[in-house]
Amino acid sequence: MPRYYFNVRGPSAFADDEGSELPDLASAELEAVRLAGQMLFDNPQVLLTSSKWTVEVADEDGVVFLLRVSTLEVAKPQARAIG
């Protein structure tokens, strides 16, 4: 079974030195989504302090999947004066 590593780049960066054995890339992609969801659940303010972060999924050959999480602040349109 292949081993996948889940590295996080951004304000809560960490390198996965152990990895996880998973049946295939599709399973690793789902695990990356779960990891990102758990990080947001545990520390939701991370999106307020950093505009983006990434979960990299790698195998022994290198990065095979990137999950990017980002925010963009949108300014409210100003009300136009009538008259």
Side-chain angles (χ1 to χ4, degrees):
M1 197 173 308
R3 182 171 294 274
Y4 294 94
Y5 301 87
F6 301 87
N7 304 306
V8 176
R9 307 284 181 234
S12 301
F14 67 86
D16 179 4
D17 296 327
E18 294 182 26
S20 300
E21 288 186 348
L22 296 167
D24 53 29
L25 179 57
S27 298
E29 291 170 349
L30 288 174
E31 189 60 30
V33 172
R34 287 186 190 102
L35 173 61
Q38 189 63 50
M39 289 177 64
L40 288 172
F41 181 80
D42 292 344
N43 190 13
Q45 65 270 21
V46 72
L47 286 179
L48 302 176
T49 59
S50 176
S51 62
K52 65 181 175 178
W53 50 277
T54 304
V55 178
E56 296 176 348
V57 179
D59 63 11
E60 67 271 359
D61 296 323
V63 176
V64 294
F65 179 74
L66 291 174
L67 173 65
R68 291 190 177 140
V69 180
S70 63
T71 59
L72 176 64
E73 189 172 323
V74 179
K76 291 183 181 179
Q78 296 204 2
R80 294 186 328 184
I82 300 177

